Structure formats: structure tokens, C-alpha cells
Amino acid sequence: MYLSYFGLSDNPFSIAPNPDYLYMSPRHKEALAHLIFGLRESGGFVMLTGEVGTGKTTVSRKLMQQLPHNTQVAMILNPTLSAIELLATICDELGIKHESQHLSLKYFSDLILGKLAANHQQGINTILIVDEAQHLQPEVLEQLRLLTNLETHREKLLKVVLIGQPELQQLLKRNELRQLAQRITARYHLLPLTSSEVKSYIGHRLGVANGDISIFSQATIRAAFQITGGIPRVINLLCDRALTLTFTKQLPVVQKHIFYAAAEQILGADVVKQRVGRSWTYIMFTCFVAAVAVGFWVGQQYA
């Protein structure tokens, strides 16, 4: 609705995972480097965690783009499965034919292990990526650990990438999963964007859509970090709504009060009030500390 009004060729803040809008902040690049390093090591697991909307899927897509050509990837997007269902899904992802009348852990495990051995003989690496891994049951995680037991003298024949919310870290602290936790060769917790990264993120997405960051006032950019906390998915939602409201009011630039109104529509007035109030409390506290420090310094000079 607002595209032609602002001279945009596409919706810059769609939450659909369009690779054209991929923005790799320094944090995302560091997370990617950890995953790539971990997959090169001899252990069977690497782990990426982060809050909802911080860009874990962005990192995983970039990881898949950078894997060697001789890599076969199995992707699990629905981890709320039983152990047998998970193994059957892995078989489907790896192109392993199986018969429906055979429904046992041993049957599926043998098929997968046979495929791993065949891939290794052909010089093919096999990687399993599990998204939303915090939903995996302990017995399912243990089954994944058993699959990584097949190894050569130098490496595991199956590498597993676990991607999930912070609850995944707590899950792996359980006593019955200690063997799996010891096999994680690299782990990274993805934090939200910083204030400067939020500005770069918004500018990048607008630039891809043939727009310019000047569509947003500087005060609005600061408010975007303040309200969203640097969560990319929330930034997309609020910027999209703010552009819509700005178009509706026929204003040339997205002003801060418009962004606040968009945030109230998406997040609720109570949430916005809390985050704005928290920010002002922090500013006042910082000013108070600075004033005390200056007063102490002046007092020392005249003592």
C-alpha cells in the first residue's frame, strides 16, 4: 500500500525469509564462524541458541549456503516428534527408502547408519540441522547421540546442528543428556542487535528495496532500538506498520510518535509504555551517576 508512495520496489520489512534481504551483523557473522568451526571438528554436535526473532534462521540459511558441495543436508523443522518419527523423517530427508510395516528404532537406525557409511565412502559429508530444538524430548536427543556414534579414526560420519531458544541450554544440562552435551564442539548464543546495528539493519533492507534510510527520522531510528530491543523480527513488524501509518497520514517521513503508535498496535500500549519508561529511567540514572562523579571530582580539586 505504501510502496509507490515512498518509491520502494518491494516490501522491505516482510517477515518472509527472503534471501535478498539477508543482513549479517557482526554478531551473525561470529555465530556463523562458530558453527563452521564446530562442523570441522571431530565432535558430533554444534549448537546455536538465541531469543525468538534474533536471526537464528538467517544464520542457518547462510550456513547451508557455505557448506561444501559434497554435503548432504537433512533438515528437521518440526522437532515435536517421537524418536521413531524423527528417524523416519531423517530417512525421508536423506532419500532413504523404507517400508511402512517396519516401525522400530533399530530398523530406522540401521537404514540411517548404512546411508552414512555409503555417503562417507563416496566422499559425501552428512549434516542434520534441527530447528526449534528446545522442543526435542530427552529420549529423542539421546537417539540423535547414538546416530553420531558411527565414526572413522578422525571424525563423526554425522554432524548435528541444534538450533533453538535459550531453553535448549537448560535442556542439555539434564543429567541424562550429559554425554550429548560433552560432544558439542561449538556453541554460540545470538544476542539482539545493538543500536548502531539496528540503524544498519533498517538501512540495508530499505536499500535492497531501492529506498533510503532518510524515510525514517533519526529520532525514529533511536526509538526503533528502544522499543524492539534489537530483535530483527520485531523491527520488521513495527517498521512495516509505521510506514503504513505514515502513508495513511500522508507524511513525508516516519516520525517517532508514528513509530510509537505502530508499536502500540503491534505490541500493546502497556509494553510500549514499559519499554519507554525503562529507557528514561536508565537515562536519568546515568545522568545522576555522572553528576555525582563530577561533583566528587570538583570536590577533590578544592579539598
Side-chain angles (χ1 to χ4, degrees):
M1 184 168 60
Y2 56 74
L3 298 186
S4 60
Y5 181 77
F6 289 108
L8 300 173
S9 60
D10 191 19
N11 182 355
F13 297 107
S14 170
I15 60 174
N18 187 339
D20 293 338
Y21 289 90
L22 180 65
Y23 174 77
M24 292 290 287
S25 73
R27 296 166 188 261
H28 291 87
K29 292 177 181 177
E30 187 176 2
L32 178 63
H34 273 73
L35 296 184
I36 292 175
F37 169 79
L39 291 175
R40 290 173 179 169
E41 294 299 296
S42 59
F45 291 85
V46 298
M47 182 174 73
L48 173 65
T49 56
E51 290 291 349
V52 176
T54 49
K56 301 184 295 297
T57 301
T58 296
V59 174
S60 66
R61 288 176 181 272
K62 195 67 175 180
L63 173 66
M64 293 179 66
Q65 292 175 358
Q66 297 194 10
L67 292 174
H69 69 279
N70 62 330
T71 303
Q72 184 175 15
V73 178
M75 177 73 79
I76 304 296
L77 300 175
N78 176 23
T80 57
L81 303 170
S82 67
I84 288 181
E85 290 171 336
L86 180 74
L87 294 183
T89 303
I90 294 174
C91 285
D92 294 337
E93 287 288 309
L94 294 178
I96 304 172
K97 295 182 180 179
H98 55 89
E99 300 176 5
S100 58
Q101 63 266 32
H102 296 289
L103 295 175
S104 70
L105 292 174
K106 182 181 185 306
Y107 172 73
F108 287 117
S109 296
D110 288 346
L111 288 177
I112 294 171
L113 294 176
K115 177 66 173 179
L116 296 177
N119 276 358
H120 177 68
Q121 289 181 349
Q122 298 173 35
I124 299 174
N125 302 313
T126 310
I127 294 178
L128 172 65
I129 300 177
V130 184
D131 202 4
E132 301 293 343
Q134 74 277 359
H135 295 304
L136 290 171
Q137 296 298 317
E139 58 270 20
V140 177
L141 281 166
E142 177 62 13
Q143 194 63 45
L144 288 179
R145 183 189 70 82
L146 294 175
L147 288 179
T148 64
N149 280 341
L150 189 61
E151 58 189 345
T152 66
H153 294 300
R154 294 188 302 174
E155 62 180 347
K156 302 286 186 181
L157 298 193
L158 176 67
K159 302 292 182 67
V160 181
V161 181
L162 299 176
I163 302 173
Q165 296 171 25
E167 293 85 349
L168 177 60
Q169 298 176 357
Q170 299 302 316
L171 176 61
L172 294 179
K173 290 180 180 179
R174 296 177 62 153
N175 186 59
E176 65 266 36
L177 295 175
R178 63 187 183 280
Q179 292 188 70
L180 188 154
Q182 292 170 1
R183 293 189 182 184
I184 298 177
T185 55
R187 60 183 74 201
Y188 190 88
H189 184 69
L190 190 59
L191 294 173
L193 301 176
T194 64
S195 177
S196 62
E197 289 168 352
V198 167
K199 182 177 181 179
S200 298
Y201 176 83
I202 293 175
H204 168 77
R205 296 190 71 99
L206 285 168
V208 174
N210 295 318
D212 187 86
I213 197 169
S214 60
I215 294 175
F216 290 78
S217 71
Q218 289 299 313
T220 302
I221 297 295
R222 291 191 293 270
F225 171 71
Q226 176 189 26
I227 299 297
T228 67
I231 303 295
R233 187 180 301 167
V234 181
I235 295 172
N236 287 355
L237 290 170
L238 300 195
C239 285
D240 179 71
R241 183 60 58 87
L243 285 170
T244 300
L245 293 179
T246 302
F247 163 73
T248 301
K249 296 181 179 295
Q250 294 291 287
L251 298 174
V253 176
V254 180
Q255 299 291 345
K256 183 171 71 171
H257 71 279
I258 296 292
F259 193 87
Y260 281 164
E264 289 181 358
Q265 291 182 11
I266 300 293
L267 302 176
D270 291 343
V271 173
V272 173
K273 182 178 180 181
Q274 180 185 25
R275 294 182 181 181
V276 172
R278 183 172 56 198
S279 177
W280 272 108
T281 300
Y282 175 77
I283 293 172
M284 295 302 293
F285 176 75
T286 302
C287 291
F288 172 76
V289 171
V292 170
V294 170
F296 177 78
W297 182 82
V298 171
Q300 290 292 98
Q301 298 298 310
Y302 289 96

